[in-house]
Amino acid sequence: MKKTLMFLIIPLLLTLTSCNKKILSADVVVFANSIYTSNKNCEFVEAFAIKDGKYVAVGSKKDISLYIDNNTRVYNANFVMPGAIESHGHWILDQAFKIGFYINPLTSDNQPKKYEQIVNEIIEYRKNNPTITAIYGYGPDVSVNGLPDLKLFDDAFPDIPIFISESSLHGAILNSKCFEAAGVLKEDKDGIPIDRDENGNVIGIARDEACTYIRNKIYGALLPSDLYQDAVKLAIKNLNSNGYVIHYDTWSNFDGTDEMYKAIHALDEKGELNAILASAYCIESYEKNKSSSMIDHAVNLKQQYESEHYKPNFLKLFADGIVEMGTGYMLEEYREKSLGHGTRIWEPAKMTEMVNEANSKGLLVHVHTMGDAAVREAVDAFIDSNKNNGYARNSIGHVAFIDKQELQKIKDNEIGVTSGANWSSQITNEEIEMSSTLYSEDVLRNLYPYKEYIDMKIPAALHTDNPCSPGILDVFGYMQVMLNGIDHSKPTEGTFPRRSKFVTVKDVINMFTINGAWMNNLEKERGSIEVGKYADFIFGSENPFTQNVNDVWNIQVTDTFFEGNRVYNINENN
């Protein structure tokens, strides 16, 4: 009996000794009225202590107060949660466009600009940049502005290519000179379908892969290297102010170059990344004959540029386009029969081959999927690769429509999934009318199955897809959309809600934090407030768990911390 007691006492003494060492060395201590941890038990605590950027103790105010000494920074907050994760976005591109040539699609009184106004802005831009030989810009929303008038752009710019990406990045406004410079004015090339009239003439718009083909045929890097670094820093500042500490950029070779990779890596080398950045190298279907060499290039980028805060570990494929343009790939035909089932961008066998190759070489694969047919083919490709290469945390993004069978496959095979709430807020009558040729109101009410994810215990993540999906960016405003479908920045008159598909505050925070970390293969070190993990967290001005459900959007992100350091404060940064 004495020996047994001795064996029990020794470990206890060792534990106490270890705790005393930690208590004497805390760098930061945080006390709050409520701290939601996002751990597996969904626990609330009162305080935590941080040393060397990681949580060393999590618990009661009484226990954590023992970690305070004269060198400890102490913060008091109302509500604390882990920092949010943007699991599919283009915030760096957003800043790059604004450093370059950005056209606000709305007037000062929030009305869609007429194309004549847009042309005048381009004319003014050219006056201020007289040596420019081609103009690339971003901003208008074709679904709001309507199809462009090719003659209007040709008359104003007969001698210089004009390419204006529309807000979704799945469409672009072009003049004839741009089509000509890309070699597709008279006929399609390389399997790239160009929108034409009944006489075979271009109509001034390009969609999906045609955009990428033309853009990369004519234009180079969006910005010089130093300005690209500025765009990254501005993007991180914007992310931090909205409550994000991890950002997954899903199209880092958007401009056909490696400049974004270089800029992010250079900033991390200088210690200037206040967030974890992950990125994906995208391969278009018209590049299928050189896909193997492009996968090798993506592997080389990972090996060359991966660093402490930069994770260029992903390959991206587009399985389809977007439903709003009739290019989302659907199991059932669109109501507008000429659209058929939409656009299947990759043949299933080729997609499966590429997923297998990428996984075998150490890359994770992320697939853009809007339609339920696109989801099915991506999921099947992932399952095949898992059988051949072992498990990989591949993922699908958007997932507007999904068949119930695929939900079960996603769960059974632990496939990552992320969706955007800005598309699933209450839908206006104008949007219903615009979409009536594509799908019925009944279908519209059932977009984005967030509640099914929760009910089936699928660890789905969230994303804003900024700037492609204009809408709410801050964590608590976004939470409001998930709770009751209301985007507080839009009028709610004349709207109809989705069918009770909304979720709880706990669900939203988990999707934004630990689920996002899981999807990005970072859950062992980030995404929850737990001992041993990096201390990434935010303060909220109020507690969303006790706030009136219709007022959650009023909560402000007052502070953002990354690895224990405060990187945003509402009073210092406003």
Side-chain angles (χ1 to χ4, degrees):
M1 178 64 71
K2 291 182 179 179
K3 290 183 179 180
T4 302
L5 286 174
M6 183 62 70
F7 285 128
L8 290 173
I9 291 170
I10 289 175
L12 178 60
L13 290 174
L14 289 174
T15 301
L16 290 173
T17 303
S18 176
C19 287
N20 285 332
K21 288 182 180 179
K22 291 179 181 178
I23 288 171
L24 295 174
S25 60
D27 298 325
V28 175
V29 162
V30 172
F31 298 121
N33 294 330
S34 179
I35 298 173
Y36 181 68
T37 62
S38 290
N39 68 12
K40 64 180 180 180
N41 295 321
C42 301
E43 292 176 324
F44 291 85
V45 296
E46 297 178 319
F48 52 77
I50 300 166
K51 174 67 177 176
D52 296 330
K54 292 185 177 183
Y55 301 110
V56 293
V58 177
S60 69
K61 291 181 179 180
K62 180 180 178 181
D63 289 341
I64 302 304
S65 64
L66 299 174
Y67 286 74
I68 299 173
D69 63 20
N70 292 334
N71 297 316
T72 304
R73 301 190 304 276
V74 179
Y75 297 93
N76 291 279
N78 188 353
F79 175 74
V80 181
M81 59 174 271
I85 297 170
E86 165 66 283
S87 291
H88 181 120
H90 310 278
W91 294 55
I92 298 171
L93 286 178
D94 183 32
Q95 296 302 324
F97 291 136
K98 289 172 181 175
I99 291 174
F101 180 43
Y102 172 72
I103 299 171
N104 189 330
L106 301 177
T107 62
S108 58
D109 57 351
N110 286 324
Q111 297 301 309
K113 285 180 181 173
K114 298 182 182 301
Y115 281 114
E116 288 83 359
Q117 294 172 287
I118 291 173
V119 164
N120 287 335
E121 287 188 43
I122 302 173
I123 289 172
E124 189 65 25
Y125 178 76
R126 188 178 184 185
K127 285 181 181 177
N128 294 329
N129 297 272
T131 61
I132 202 165
T133 58
I135 293 177
Y136 178 81
Y138 173 81
D141 185 340
V142 172
S143 66
V144 174
N145 295 75
L147 292 176
D149 179 354
L150 178 64
K151 186 175 185 302
L152 175 67
F153 285 83
D154 283 351
D155 288 348
F157 311 102
D159 60 331
I160 187 172
I162 304 294
F163 184 109
I164 308 297
S165 284
E166 67 107 32
S167 60
S168 74
L169 299 181
H170 285 266
I173 300 163
L174 298 80
N175 66 346
S176 293
K177 194 70 176 177
C178 191
F179 285 107
E180 180 183 15
V184 294
L185 180 64
K186 299 298 183 182
E187 60 182 5
D188 298 357
K189 289 186 177 180
D190 297 313
I192 301 299
I194 304 295
D195 287 59
R196 301 179 185 275
D197 62 20
E198 62 277 7
N199 298 315
N201 299 315
V202 295
I203 62 171
I205 187 171
R207 304 173 197 262
D208 295 313
E209 290 198 310
C211 296
T212 308
Y213 178 83
I214 295 170
R215 182 179 64 242
N216 293 350
K217 198 82 173 175
I218 301 173
Y219 302 90
L222 287 174
L223 296 170
S225 295
D226 57 336
L227 292 182
Y228 238 128
Q229 290 186 36
D230 289 344
V232 175
K233 288 189 287 188
L234 288 169
I236 293 175
K237 183 178 179 180
N238 197 15
L239 285 158
N240 291 161
S241 69
N242 284 287
Y244 299 92
V245 293
I246 298 176
H247 175 248
Y248 172 30
D249 184 283
T250 55
W251 203 351
S252 298
N253 60 327
F254 174 83
D255 58 10
T257 76
D258 302 336
E259 290 303 316
M260 189 185 295
Y261 288 84
K262 296 174 184 177
I264 298 171
H265 177 76
L267 288 174
D268 201 21
E269 290 278 287
K270 293 188 284 188
E272 296 182 21
L273 287 189
N274 292 327
I276 295 293
L277 297 183
S279 67
Y281 187 88
C282 183
I283 299 179
E284 308 285 349
S285 68
Y286 61 80
E287 299 167 312
K288 60 186 177 184
N289 292 331
K290 55 180 181 178
S291 61
S292 187
S293 64
M294 295 184 75
I295 290 173
D296 286 340
H297 183 61
V299 172
N300 289 335
L301 289 173
K302 169 180 164 58
Q303 294 171 344
Q304 184 174 1
Y305 295 118
E306 185 173 14
S307 57
E308 184 179 4
H309 298 121
Y310 183 34
K311 312 297 178 186
N313 301 335
F314 295 83
L315 184 78
K316 182 186 179 181
L317 304 173
F318 282 93
D320 62 351
I322 57 176
V323 176
E324 296 90 329
M325 286 192 173
T327 56
Y329 183 36
M330 304 292 291
L331 292 173
E332 294 186 12
E333 288 188 332
Y334 285 86
R335 295 177 74 181
E336 173 55 60
K337 297 301 182 184
S338 65
L339 297 174
H341 292 271
T343 302
R344 171 201 264 168
I345 291 182
W346 288 95
E347 289 298 319
K350 184 61 178 178
M351 179 186 288
T352 300
E353 174 191 319
M354 293 179 67
V355 172
N356 272 271
E357 183 175 358
N359 288 165
S360 71
K361 294 178 177 178
L363 296 175
L364 300 176
V365 180
H366 182 76
V367 180
H368 165 109
T369 59
M370 281 287 186
D372 46 11
V375 171
R376 176 171 294 182
E377 293 184 356
V379 167
D380 287 346
F382 294 162
I383 293 172
D384 184 85
S385 180
N386 286 348
K387 290 177 181 176
N388 295 326
N389 301 295
Y391 175 70
R393 187 83 41 87
N394 297 317
S395 57
I396 50 177
H398 305 308
V399 199
F401 298 87
I402 186 168
D403 183 77
K404 289 184 178 180
Q405 292 180 350
E406 305 312 311
L407 284 170
Q408 191 61 50
K409 289 182 187 177
I410 287 169
K411 179 180 180 179
D412 292 344
N413 293 277
E414 298 186 11
I415 293 169
V417 57
T418 178
S419 291
N422 282 328
W423 279 295
S424 65
S425 58
Q426 289 185 327
I427 301 169
T428 66
N429 289 332
E430 288 181 1
E431 290 170 311
I432 295 169
E433 184 177 347
M434 179 187 73
S435 304
S436 62
T437 59
L438 301 178
Y439 36 75
S440 67
E441 288 186 26
D442 189 62
V443 170
L444 206 59
R445 293 177 195 263
N446 287 283
L447 290 167
Y448 300 99
Y450 303 111
K451 191 65 166 59
E452 285 88 340
Y453 295 144
I454 302 303
D455 292 344
M456 294 181 67
K457 295 181 169 49
I458 294 171
L462 288 176
H463 66 257
T464 70
D465 203 17
N466 178 52
C468 302
S469 173
I472 299 299
L473 298 180
D474 72 277
V475 168
F476 297 108
Y478 205 86
M479 191 179 293
Q480 181 76 75
V481 177
M482 292 290 290
L483 294 175
N484 61 8
I486 295 176
D487 178 340
H488 69 84
S489 69
K490 298 178 182 177
T492 57
E493 293 183 13
T495 65
F496 71 92
R498 286 156 37 86
R499 286 201 188 95
S500 62
K501 296 289 178 124
F502 305 112
V503 298
T504 68
V505 171
K506 181 193 75 174
D507 295 329
V508 181
I509 295 179
N510 287 345
M511 294 173 83
F512 251 144
T513 58
I514 191 61
N515 290 10
W518 183 88
M519 197 205 87
N520 287 282
N521 214 28
L522 294 169
E523 77 279 7
K524 292 180 180 178
E525 55 190 76
R526 300 181 191 267
S528 60
I529 297 174
E530 298 183 77
V531 171
K533 288 191 174 184
Y534 284 102
D536 306 332
F537 55 94
I538 63 174
F539 293 170
S541 59
E542 302 291 339
N543 184 348
F545 287 90
T546 58
Q547 189 87 333
N548 182 291
V549 70
N550 295 316
D551 295 329
V552 169
W553 67 271
N554 280 311
I555 301 174
Q556 294 180 302
V557 176
T558 64
D559 300 84
T560 299
F561 290 76
F562 178 67
E563 297 183 352
N565 295 309
R566 187 162 66 178
V567 294
Y568 169 77
N569 173 261
I570 193 170
N571 296 318
E572 296 175 1
N573 294 83
N574 284 346

